[in-house]
Amino acid sequence: MAARTKGAPDPAWKPDPVVSHWAMRQALDQAAYAARTGQLPFGACVIRGVELIGTGHNTVLTDQDVSGHAEINALRAACAKTDEIDLHGCVLYTSCEPCPMCLTACYWARVSGIVYAAKAADATQAGFRQLPNAPAHLSILATAGTRLAGGLMRDEGCRILTNWSATANWSGHQGAYQNDALRQRDSRTAE
């Protein structure tokens, strides 16, 4: 059996497929809702067993709050619903691989698992500015007992990102959210 890289998605961890597909559908629906309402197209939910205890979509633009990521909003909702900050035993489902801030929030909340659709590289490819996760931080998460699984319904996660990016007016938020290569291309096109 090949050793797994610390912090990399764990191929041996297989969350219940029925619950996982249902939960990821909730996260992707949140991402689609965010896109329809003028937000950045990211969504998430928190599941305890088979119970949905929190959902969230990106609210960075409407709230003018850089911490308004879908994962953070879903964790806040789960903590409010359960009246506790310890979410051990819960799994976060998200439309895209979480950024370092969101992974840190999962660590502090003691989330037991994270399942994502699109990879951070997919978001970058779609034009979003992404900060890669440091292997050391992923290792700390793994040591703390948080398992990662990526790629569940990845095609749909990617489609939501690329559809938003293709139709969105980046004006006003290029600096914060649009990746540098796409921003440079768009500035050359505008000249």
Side-chain angles (χ1 to χ4, degrees), residues 7 69 71-72 75 92 94 97-111 114 116 131-134 137-138 141 146-148:
H69 289 203
E71 298 90 341
I72 300 289
L75 291 169
L92 174 82
T94 181
E97 183 178 354
C99 73
M101 176 183 70
C102 294
L103 284 178
T104 301
C106 289
Y107 173 80
W108 291 119
R110 298 189 62 219
V111 168
I114 301 168
Y116 57 88
L131 183 63
N133 291 305
H137 295 151
L138 293 171
L141 267 178
T146 301
R147 302 181 104 174
L148 295 167

Side-chain angles (χ1 to χ4, degrees), residues 34-104:
R36 282 193 312 276
T37 59
Q39 291 298 308
L40 298 171
F42 299 93
C45 70
V46 179
I47 305 294
R48 177 177 281 156
V50 296
E51 181 186 3
L52 176 67
I53 62 170
T55 61
H57 61 275
N58 187 292
T59 58
V60 168
L61 300 176
T62 55
D63 295 347
Q64 291 297 295
D65 176 0
V66 296
S67 69
H69 289 203
E71 298 90 341
I72 300 289
N73 289 333
L75 291 169
R76 285 177 178 150
C79 290
K81 181 172 183 171
T82 62
D83 199 28
E84 56 189 65
I85 60 170
D86 185 343
L87 297 177
H88 182 75
C90 296
V91 178
L92 174 82
Y93 288 84
T94 181
S95 62
C96 188
E97 183 178 354
C99 73
M101 176 183 70
C102 294
L103 284 178
T104 301

Side-chain angles (χ1 to χ4, degrees), residues 156-175:
E156 187 169 349
C158 290
R159 190 169 32 260
I160 291 169
L161 293 170
T162 56
N163 286 348
W164 190 93
S165 187
T167 60
N169 177 0
W170 284 99
S171 176
H173 28 266
Q174 291 102 327

